[in-house]
Amino acid sequence: MDVLILRLIHISAGGFWVGAVFLFFLFVQPAAVAVGPDGTKMMYRLLHHQRMSVALLTSGIVTVAAGIWLLIITSNGLDPAVLFSTSRVGFTIGGVIAILTLGLGGLYVFPRTRMVERIIGRLVTEQRPPSPEEQQDLARIGRQSRSAGWVVLVGLALAIACMATASYWSVFL
């Protein structure tokens, strides 16, 4: 596949992934919590009907897969001499950070989001408030997801910073 098309896929999917994660964790989720029960219904709509968590995970996978493919093509098959050259090391470091961030999001945040979706789905379907046990579960999962969400946000910001400045690293290294 042409490098130009791969770059277009990588940058477009990455832009969606990063923008949506930032929007969700910094604005949508806190607003939904502040609104209360109506916010819970909105979150269920986003997670279940709009499949936001699936869209975020898919865009992350597409971004990382296209990035790895680009790295393989542009580094002569992952040649360490090329990967760690001063003109490429920013892309390599940014890619590793993005892969780790995707791993955290996919293996830790995504399953917790699905648990929240199931609990909220029961509440919406049964048109009832959460039981004390469900409140505890939602609070615990919320704390875990928020903590991990901040790590994901920082990871994505670092990956972007590394890749956006990679062509200038040779000036300083």
Side-chain angles (χ1 to χ4, degrees):
M1 184 180 282
D2 188 38
V3 172
L4 180 63
I5 293 171
L6 272 175
R7 285 194 67 187
L8 182 62
I9 292 168
H10 178 68
I11 292 169
S12 298
F16 175 81
W17 180 32
V18 172
V21 166
F22 271 73
L23 180 70
F24 185 76
F25 279 107
L26 295 178
F27 297 100
V28 174
Q29 190 179 35
V33 169
V35 170
D38 288 336
T40 301
K41 291 176 187 173
M42 183 203 67
M43 288 298 288
Y44 181 68
R45 176 80 189 174
L46 274 174
L47 295 174
H48 184 73
H49 297 288
Q50 303 302 125
R51 302 182 51 87
M52 183 170 188
S53 56
V54 173
L56 290 174
L57 183 59
T58 302
S59 64
I61 291 169
V62 169
T63 302
V64 168
I68 290 171
W69 197 350
L70 275 169
L71 209 54
I72 290 169
I73 292 170
T74 60
S75 69
N76 298 328
L78 301 178
D79 178 5
V82 177
L83 285 174
F84 298 105
S85 67
T86 54
S87 64
R88 306 282 310 159
V89 72
F91 292 112
T92 303
I93 292 171
V96 169
I97 293 169
I99 291 167
L100 293 173
T101 301
L102 175 62
L104 177 64
L107 299 173
Y108 189 81
V109 176
F110 183 75
R112 278 155 184 77
T113 303
R114 297 304 294 245
M115 285 190 273
V116 167
E117 179 185 341
R118 282 191 293 276
I119 294 169
I120 294 173
R122 277 195 310 269
L123 299 177
V124 169
T125 302
E126 297 170 8
Q127 296 182 347
R128 64 173 177 84
S131 68
E133 182 180 297
E134 289 168 330
Q135 283 179 330
Q136 288 177 343
D137 287 343
L138 288 170
R140 177 181 46 78
I141 295 167
R143 282 190 306 274
Q144 293 170 344
S145 295
R146 275 189 296 282
S147 297
W150 281 106
V151 175
V152 168
L153 291 176
V154 169
L156 290 174
L158 287 172
I160 289 171
C162 288
M163 290 183 203
T165 61
S167 59
Y168 302 102
W169 286 36
S170 60
V171 173
F172 300 105
L173 296 179

